[in-house]
Amino acid sequence: MTSTRSPEITPEEQTRLDELYAAFDAAHMKPLWTQIGGLMPTSPRPDSVPMLWRWSTLLPLAERAGELVPVGRGGERRAIALANPGMPGTPYATPTLWAAIQYLGPREEAPSHRHTQTAFRFVVEGEGVWTNVEGDPVAMRRGDLLLTPGMHFHEHHNTTDHPMAWIDGLDIPLVRQIDAGFFEFGPDEPATRETPDTSRNERLWGHPGLTPVGAPAPKASPLMAYRWKHTDAALTAQLELEAEGHPGVVEPGHAVVRFTNPATAGDCLSTMRCEMHRLRAGTRTALTRTAGSSVWQVFEGCGVVTVGEERYEVGKGDLFAVPSWAGLAFDTDDGLDAFRFSDDPVFEALGLARTAREDRT
């Protein structure tokens, strides 16, 4: 029988090996046989860890920043990033996703700029702010998803006497890692201070199942606003159809809608997937694992979320990060709505997407 033990080496051979490794280091080289465990693990070993950020902590801190930190050129936005403790020294929620709470005070204006990074805003509560995207004023209201595709000039202006906060999501870590970032200042004054109820992009592209034939086909989604009334109606209908015995939900009591590009039917953003989930009261989901990371925010309701080895009681506004291949499951007695964004489109484009599902007893 052949032995699998490594042969013993002589002191002379050890000296020669030490010299070889020293030569590798001097030449800025690393041998695969000493690195393979970290380079090619049997399953993902993410640096990010499961993490929960309480809305009850985030909002007061943003309010304090509103009292002390002005909005203007240089800082550009009063946005406070969620920093995953598994990646110390970085302002990242996961290795590919940036999430922040942004706060705009009464009558404040955040100046125009544009950048390679793709962005969205999701509103948990409040209204009164308009975001101008390429000069098109888009109202921001509770439950709305607002898009800012890469290299689109955008600015925000608060028309009210009260502040407003929302969540920003961007692909900053991904763009930084591949060295693809560009940034440009726009005009100091807003392109418009108009406050229409419906933006031009919604008037053109916001009609379900109807594509304007005369409009140019853009690379990014031409629809900048996905309104809560439509999202709510779609989720409600899924659960109603389930109760009537018809298909539509992803699993019992679990309705999901994905925000898509009306020009292509693909994801609304090229590097980030955005979804809204609704769990009926009493729902206990399967445990899922996904190659790629995600960030969730509870919109309404409460429940318990399991992320890897962690269990969190979550309620309105709370955010949590799900590292790659960490098990994820929900339990809710009262029902729960949650917004999810992820790097799924990148993994799918690269042929790296993988999902596993386990029923829980």
Side-chain angles (χ1 to χ4, degrees):
M1 184 175 181
T2 303
S3 173
T4 58
R5 294 178 58 190
S6 299
E8 294 185 6
I9 61 175
T10 67
E12 180 183 355
E13 291 172 327
Q14 184 62 57
T15 298
R16 293 173 62 194
L17 272 175
D18 291 343
E19 292 172 348
L20 175 63
Y21 289 131
F24 285 156
D25 288 340
H28 303 288
M29 300 171 67
K30 293 291 183 184
L32 175 63
W33 57 87
T34 66
Q35 307 286 315
I36 192 168
L39 295 175
M40 298 180 180
T42 55
S43 61
R45 298 178 184 174
D47 291 327
S48 62
V49 297
M51 180 63 192
L52 173 70
W53 293 270
R54 298 278 183 200
W55 190 247
S56 58
T57 299
L58 298 180
L59 187 57
L61 287 172
E63 290 171 342
R64 288 171 59 186
E67 297 171 358
L68 298 171
V69 181
V71 173
R73 285 297 182 209
E76 297 295 299
R77 303 290 187 259
R78 191 186 292 108
I80 307 107
L82 311 184
N84 192 297
M87 300 178 292
T90 67
Y92 303 154
T94 80
T96 56
L97 303 173
W98 191 87
I101 180 171
Q102 184 171 165
Y103 187 89
L104 200 62
R107 307 292 171 179
E108 279 191 324
E109 297 176 349
S112 174
H113 63 216
R114 67 177 181 175
H115 39 69
T116 311
Q117 295 83 355
T118 294
F120 70 79
R121 305 125 214 327
F122 179 70
V123 184
V124 173
E125 58 188 0
E127 60 180 50
V129 169
W130 265 256
T131 179
N132 300 331
V133 183
E134 292 290 321
D136 190 1
V138 182
M140 299 175 61
R141 307 184 187 101
R142 177 183 178 274
D144 291 348
L145 172 67
L146 301 314
L147 304 187
T148 308
M151 295 312 288
H152 282 51
F153 279 113
H154 56 284
E155 60 210 5
H156 316 308
H157 59 115
N158 189 343
T159 66
T160 72
D161 294 322
H162 54 78
M164 184 174 167
W166 61 88
I167 291 299
D168 286 344
L170 290 90
D171 55 4
I172 290 174
L174 175 65
V175 173
R176 174 64 187 87
Q177 185 63 33
I178 61 177
D179 291 327
F182 294 88
F183 180 96
E184 296 177 20
F185 293 117
D188 290 336
E189 291 296 315
T192 178
R193 289 187 172 85
E194 295 178 1
T195 56
D197 185 65
T198 306
S199 60
R200 295 192 299 274
N201 67 82
E202 293 172 83
R203 292 165 61 192
L204 186 60
W205 289 96
H207 306 285
L210 302 173
T211 300
V213 175
K219 294 181 180 179
S221 175
L223 184 62
M224 301 294 107
Y226 297 74
R227 300 300 180 189
W228 171 244
K229 64 180 180 181
H230 300 137
T231 306
D232 182 40
L235 293 169
T236 297
Q238 283 191 30
L239 293 178
E240 288 175 345
L241 288 166
E242 180 196 21
E244 296 165 11
H246 303 291
V249 296
V250 296
E251 61 183 327
H254 186 180
V256 186
V257 292
R258 183 171 299 163
F259 299 95
T260 58
N261 180 335
T264 65
D267 282 287
C268 64
L269 297 168
S270 59
T271 56
M272 292 184 288
R273 176 162 295 164
C274 298
E275 297 174 338
M276 182 64 79
H277 293 240
R278 174 167 291 172
L279 304 178
R280 190 194 301 276
T283 296
R284 176 179 171 85
T285 72
L287 185 143
T288 59
R289 300 180 188 275
T290 302
S293 57
S294 61
V295 177
W296 296 67
Q297 183 172 37
V298 178
F299 180 64
E300 283 289 356
C302 59
V304 175
V305 60
T306 300
V307 185
E309 301 299 319
E310 304 295 331
R311 283 174 59 86
Y312 306 122
E313 292 186 3
V314 294
K316 181 177 179 178
D318 293 345
L319 293 108
F320 56 92
V322 181
S324 182
W325 212 243
L328 172 68
F330 289 89
D331 295 270
T332 176
D333 293 331
D334 302 321
L336 180 145
D337 288 356
F339 173 76
R340 172 186 185 262
F341 73 101
S342 70
D343 50 21
D344 290 349
V346 176
F347 276 67
E348 291 176 0
L350 296 175
L352 299 174
R354 180 180 293 204
T355 299
R357 177 186 173 96
E358 303 172 19
D359 289 328
R360 295 188 292 158
T361 56

